[in-house]
């Protein structure tokens, strides 16, 4: 998506924030702490425009299906399950796609995520590493973003970016 690349290239954090909070980027999706886990898979499939990705409940088991392959999500039936679903979904999508945490959503009960083809992440990581590190965090580098995440868990660039966002909010 050219808009996302432009925002990162211009280091336009406000545009990224607005795109998430106003649903202005097709690569971003939001997950509320109380979300139905099956809906998370649907949100991501919509972002990626991937018709081969879906999920279904089988009694108490959530099954993610991609290209006919089934993966059971190891849910614990608690508030941390949203993150378990997202991490499992990320594993299912590899090596074609990757989901990353959206820093501007930190501190909210609705977490933001960006889903892109893995090749796009590699390109962005190479071309715009500082902007990517400030705005997106790989999932496995974080604790559960719904139950354990604090400001101290943010890597340095992401923490600085989050502080700038808070300061902009205070001024407006």
């Amino acid at each position: 998506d050219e808009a996302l690349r432009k925002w990162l290239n211009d280091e336009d954090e406000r545009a990224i924030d607005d795109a998430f909070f106003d649903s202005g980027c097709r690569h971003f999706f939001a997950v509320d702490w109380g979300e139905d886990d099956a809906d998370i898979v649907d949100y991501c499939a919509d972002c990626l425009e991937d018709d081969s990705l879906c999920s279904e409940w089988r009694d108490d088991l959530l099954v993610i299906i991609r290209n006919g392959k089934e993966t059971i999500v190891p849910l614990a039936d608690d508030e941390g399950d949203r993150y378990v679903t997202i991490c499992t979904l990320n594993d299912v999508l590899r090596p074609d796609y990757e989901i990353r945490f959206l820093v501007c959503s930190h501190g909210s009960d609705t977490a933001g995520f960006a889903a892109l083809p893995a090749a796009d992440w590699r390109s962005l990581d190479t071309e715009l590493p500082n902007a990517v590190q400030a705005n997106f965090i790989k999932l496995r580098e974080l604790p559960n973003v719904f139950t354990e995440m604090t400001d101290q868990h943010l890597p340095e660039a992401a923490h600085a970016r989050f502080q700038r966002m808070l300061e902009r909010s205070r001024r407006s």
Side-chain angles (χ1 to χ4, degrees):
D1 186 79
E2 290 305 312
L4 177 58
R5 185 174 291 277
K6 180 177 180 355
W7 298 328
L8 291 170
N9 189 56
D10 295 347
E11 297 184 15
D12 191 347
E13 294 173 352
R14 186 178 295 273
I16 293 169
D17 298 350
D18 291 346
F20 172 66
F21 292 109
D22 298 333
S23 301
C25 180
R26 71 178 182 93
H27 299 292
F28 296 169
F29 65 99
V31 176
D32 185 78
W33 70 272
E35 202 80 54
D36 181 293
D37 290 274
D39 291 341
I40 296 168
V41 178
D42 293 339
Y43 301 154
C44 186
D46 290 345
C47 282
L48 297 173
E49 298 175 341
D50 186 340
D51 294 334
S52 74
L53 178 63
C54 63
S55 65
E56 61 185 50
W57 285 104
R58 295 182 187 155
D59 297 317
D60 291 339
L61 294 177
L62 177 63
V63 180
I64 298 175
I65 305 160
R66 179 158 188 258
N67 296 325
K69 182 179 180 217
E70 298 184 355
T71 302
I72 295 173
V73 181
L75 299 175
D77 196 27
D78 64 28
E79 62 274 0
D81 280 350
R82 298 332 57 88
Y83 193 66
V84 172
T85 297
I86 292 162
C87 288
T88 303
L89 175 58
N90 199 36
D91 293 343
V92 166
L93 293 171
R94 286 191 182 143
D96 303 316
Y97 301 103
E98 183 180 354
I99 302 168
R100 295 190 187 180
F101 178 70
L102 192 56
V103 172
C104 69
S105 71
H106 172 62
S108 172
D109 62 356
T110 301
F113 300 92
L116 293 171
D120 289 355
W121 281 120
R122 284 190 298 275
S123 173
L124 290 170
D125 285 338
T126 300
E127 295 170 30
L128 303 164
N130 295 336
V132 171
Q133 290 172 11
N135 288 284
F136 307 101
I137 307 171
K138 293 180 179 186
L139 296 178
R140 297 297 183 179
E141 294 176 3
L142 297 170
N144 190 310
V145 299
F146 294 98
T147 60
E148 301 169 19
M149 181 97 161
T150 67
D151 292 358
Q152 289 73 35
H153 292 106
L154 293 172
E156 186 176 334
H159 189 270
R161 187 261 195 261
F162 182 69
Q163 293 302 314
R164 289 189 300 274
M165 183 184 80
L166 292 178
E167 186 58 33
R168 279 193 307 275
S169 293
R170 284 186 208 119
R171 286 190 304 237
S172 54

